[in-house]
Amino acid sequence: MASRERVTLDTIAAAANVSRATVSKAINGRQDVSARTRRQVLNLAEELGYEAPTSIDRSSPIVTIVFDSLDTYYTNRVLAGAVAAAHDRRAVLDVRTFTDHREAGSDHWVKQLGTQGHLALIVVTMALSNTQVEAARSLQLPVITVDPAQETPDGVLEISSTNWNGGMAATQHLLSLGHTRIAFVAGPERSLPARERLLGFRSAMMDAGLDVDPALVLGDSYTYATGLRSGLTLLDLEPDRRPTAIMCACDVSAIGVYEAARERGVSVPSDLSVVGYDDTFLAEYAAPPLTTIHQALETMGARAVEAALDLADDSAGTRRTIGSVKIPTRLVERMSTAPPRADT
């Protein structure tokens, strides 16, 4: 006799003509399913020979969230928001890290999530290929990206900050103080948010009728080392090309620029204005306190989990929301910026 194909939540959902999320709720004893639907699902599950995985908590929906690292302030704040939202929605958050971006979302791994009853996949600051997205779609597994490393594939919900607006606001603040030689310390080229922040900087400069000197755009990562190295290079330029202000793609790089200024005997903000991005604890406790762009990292994590659970439930009618969600940013003005010196 041929071996019987394994019965999954999708098998039951197709037979009952309901969503996968509804099947999961019925099997897990959730109260937000009608008694009639619960009986129908449970009867079909028994009739088809469904065996629930033993490795999951059967009382709550499971959402998987994947990071490339948990070692940064950024990822910890996003995770804090995600954990809080999962708690509020009585969901289980399965937290994983992958240093190899290709491993996360691979066909085999996605299929494992589906067969284990996970309802959605959230990928933070990582790339997803169309093949990986198709693997998730075949299992009706919603995929949400947070600050993705590339343009978001069709059928995926993107959640990020208004990075272009943040780059604009930071640069306009420096321009309003009278700076015209403004440098930019960039993040990684692969990062879509980093590229958007740089575009915001360039747009503000263009709107002000100013050309961007290529020598004033440096950097390739969200690190202290990038800020220090770029800051030293910028401050070693000839006086007529040296920037009077530097915008950084993150607060950590801005602190690196602070150190470069200290090593070169340059005072912040008397000789050099500095703006960061993220509004981490570093910005508040820097000396002097750092002017920066605030982005609501915890809100991004919470929205990702809320969207994951809503998208997993067809009855909510939220699949029409596929596209992007932008969380507003704002300038937080502290003491690291001032008008340029009259002799510069």
Side-chain angles (χ1 to χ4, degrees), residues 145-169:
T145 62
V146 177
D147 277 348
Q150 92 287 29
E151 297 294 334
T152 303
D154 292 339
V156 174
L157 176 64
E158 175 193 330
I159 296 178
S160 62
S161 294
T162 52
N163 289 291
W164 182 87
N165 303 68
M168 279 279 289

Side-chain angles (χ1 to χ4, degrees), residues 1-79:
M1 180 179 295
S3 61
R4 187 174 182 180
E5 184 178 350
R6 187 176 185 277
V7 177
T8 67
L9 297 181
D10 292 322
T11 309
I12 302 170
N17 196 29
V18 297
S19 72
R20 185 178 187 278
T22 298
V23 172
S24 176
K25 292 175 183 179
I27 291 176
N28 291 327
R30 291 273 296 275
Q31 298 303 308
D32 48 347
V33 178
S34 69
R36 178 177 178 277
T37 299
R38 181 178 292 106
R39 285 196 302 271
Q40 179 191 17
V41 168
L42 294 178
N43 288 340
L44 278 169
E46 182 178 1
E47 179 183 333
L48 294 170
Y50 172 73
E51 296 180 3
T54 58
S55 60
I56 66 171
D57 182 348
R58 299 164 84 181
S59 65
S60 303
I62 300 177
V63 173
T64 299
I65 185 167
V66 183
F67 297 86
D68 55 1
S69 168
L70 291 176
D71 296 336
T72 67
Y73 178 90
Y74 169 94
T75 55
N76 277 274
R77 294 333 307 152
V78 172
L79 179 57

Side-chain angles (χ1 to χ4, degrees), residues 4 49 111 141 162 215 226 235 255 259 268:
R4 187 174 182 180
K111 289 176 182 176
L141 189 73
T162 52
T226 286
L235 294 176
I255 300 304
E259 175 59 18
V268 177

Side-chain angles (χ1 to χ4, degrees), residues 191-249:
S191 168
L192 181 59
R195 297 198 302 272
E196 290 174 341
R197 293 168 198 178
L198 177 56
L199 285 173
F201 162 76
R202 291 187 181 279
S203 297
M205 294 292 282
M206 182 175 65
D207 287 349
L210 297 171
D211 294 329
V212 176
D213 184 344
L216 300 187
V217 178
L218 301 172
D220 55 8
S221 66
Y222 293 130
T223 63
Y224 173 89
T226 286
L228 174 58
R229 183 174 61 252
S230 300
L232 290 172
T233 299
L234 292 166
L235 294 176
D236 286 342
L237 291 172
E238 293 298 320
D240 61 340
R241 297 187 67 193
R242 187 181 307 148
T244 61
I246 301 176
M247 180 191 167
C248 300

Side-chain angles (χ1 to χ4, degrees), residues 162-180:
T162 52
N163 289 291
W164 182 87
N165 303 68
M168 279 279 289
T171 311
Q172 288 172 339
H173 168 67
L174 294 170
L175 290 166
S176 71
L177 292 172
H179 295 279
T180 56

